[in-house]
Amino acid sequence: MIPMTDLEFTQLAELIKRRAGIHLKAEKRALLAGRLQKLVQDKGLESFSEYYNLLQGRNHTSAAELTQLVDRISTNHTFFMREQGHFTYFRQQVLPELLQRQGERDLRIWSAGCSSGEEPYTLAMLIDEAFSGDGRRGWDTQLLATDISNSALEAARRGRYSAEALGALPERWARRYFEPEEKGYYTVKPAIRSQVLFRRFNLMDEKFPFTRRFHAIFCRNVMIYFDQATRIRLVHKFYEMTEPGGYLFIGHSESLDRERTAYRYVMPAVYRK
């Protein structure tokens, strides 16, 4: 068992915050050491200081190491229909507004921190139901789903979930949008998978590379891992990337400082530009 000193924790925690935005308080030292223990041992290193020095390099190896580190410390816990009221509001209020616009025939939706895919696939299914018959013709309805974790994105792209996971969904969705596999698992059908563009993206990047703004941004239960200053900066960037009249959905355990954001409060965890 490799011990982690106070200095090693401080160095790694500062690096993690700088690169991934995740704020680890002192009481998380045991958690961090536990998640990295086997990783450090497998690399033949004798201390967390050696591991920190490896991460500090400026080559392809250190970049890959940083990606692996983020995968180890990221918490990718989610499930279908989490905080269901958001999806109800999106279906009843947001989608009808977007579909009634004159001229534009695209829906620009971003699932930021998409984890293993349940959120963006749910949005894709809601969008699919909003169109009837040939109503989708001429529309661009592909939505963007991003995460910093490669392992989470790999799971999301597979779109494979247990029967238990599908239990929270309407029964008609399970029949219409999923294909049964062996051993009680189901896979999202290609027609829905093709509507979600999965990409690795770090919300801590200085600039967002998108050329057009989004009509709705979902970033739920992500900012709970950030400190206040990081949250304020991120929300400002989200605001810049939101279309006028567009929406930001955050987690119910999160909130925006109304004195420091230009978003207008709509309902718990829903804000509008």
Side-chain angles (χ1 to χ4, degrees):
M1 194 78 170
I2 302 174
M4 178 180 285
T5 67
D6 289 344
L7 176 60
E8 288 170 336
F9 172 75
T10 299
Q11 289 176 325
L12 287 168
E14 288 179 352
L15 176 65
I16 290 166
K17 181 181 177 182
R18 189 165 65 249
R19 298 300 181 88
I22 299 172
H23 178 57
L24 296 174
K25 297 180 180 179
E27 57 266 28
K28 297 294 185 181
R29 186 170 79 173
L31 181 145
L32 181 63
R35 291 195 178 182
L36 298 181
Q37 190 75 222
K38 188 175 185 303
L39 182 65
V40 172
Q41 290 174 330
D42 288 348
K43 295 180 185 301
L45 304 176
E46 297 183 356
S47 70
F48 286 103
S49 292
E50 289 185 15
Y51 178 58
Y52 175 75
N53 291 335
L54 178 65
L55 294 167
Q56 286 290 83
R58 299 293 180 186
N59 51 38
H60 293 300
T61 300
S62 61
E65 295 291 346
L66 279 166
T67 298
Q68 193 175 33
L69 168 64
V70 170
D71 277 348
R72 288 297 177 95
I73 64 171
S74 298
T75 302
N76 297 305
H77 172 68
T78 188
F79 47 88
F80 282 112
M81 303 305 284
R82 185 178 187 180
E83 299 178 347
Q84 185 173 347
H86 285 161
F87 297 117
T88 300
Y89 187 80
F90 182 76
R91 175 175 56 85
Q92 294 180 347
Q93 185 69 31
V94 179
L95 276 177
E97 286 180 9
L98 296 177
L99 295 178
Q100 289 171 9
R101 288 171 305 150
Q102 300 296 319
E104 283 191 286
R105 295 181 68 81
D106 66 339
L107 302 176
R108 296 188 296 279
I109 313 297
W110 179 16
S111 171
C114 66
S115 189
S116 46
E118 288 90 338
E119 178 181 273
Y121 285 135
T122 299
L123 294 171
M125 289 183 280
L126 286 168
I127 291 170
D128 186 77
E129 280 205 331
F131 289 88
S132 58
D134 294 331
R136 198 168 197 151
R137 187 173 298 169
W139 278 83
D140 179 3
T141 59
Q142 190 178 58
L143 60 94
L144 175 66
T146 66
D147 203 278
I148 195 172
S149 169
N150 280 332
S151 59
L153 289 170
E154 288 172 7
R157 290 188 182 102
R158 286 195 299 270
R160 185 173 183 264
Y161 305 98
S162 67
E164 182 181 7
L166 267 59
L169 295 175
E171 188 177 339
R172 69 182 186 280
W173 282 14
R175 293 194 306 267
R176 181 175 179 179
Y177 298 122
F178 292 85
E179 295 175 333
E181 291 187 354
E182 58 182 10
K183 299 181 181 179
Y185 278 83
Y186 293 77
T187 302
V188 180
K189 288 184 177 180
I192 290 297
R193 284 216 307 274
S194 67
Q195 293 301 309
V196 184
L197 181 65
F198 289 104
R199 290 288 184 269
R200 185 178 186 275
F201 182 69
N202 188 346
L203 292 172
M204 296 301 104
D205 284 357
E206 189 64 29
K207 292 184 178 180
F208 289 175
F210 314 117
T211 56
R212 302 191 70 186
R213 296 185 177 97
F214 296 92
H215 299 110
I217 298 174
F218 285 74
C219 185
R220 305 186 307 158
N221 304 297
V222 174
M223 291 188 286
I224 54 175
Y225 301 106
F226 303 158
D227 63 14
Q228 184 179 20
T230 303
R231 288 196 296 268
I232 290 171
R233 287 195 302 271
L234 179 58
V235 169
H236 176 73
K237 289 192 285 188
F238 280 149
Y239 188 84
E240 292 299 312
M241 290 309 308
T242 304
E243 279 282 355
Y247 294 86
L248 173 67
F249 293 79
I250 63 175
H252 280 291
S253 60
E254 303 164 324
S255 62
L256 302 189
D257 184 342
R258 298 190 201 179
E259 299 298 320
R260 305 187 70 171
T261 181
Y263 278 114
R264 177 173 58 85
Y265 174 85
V266 176
M267 58 183 282
V270 180
Y271 297 82
R272 192 172 192 185
K273 182 172 180 176

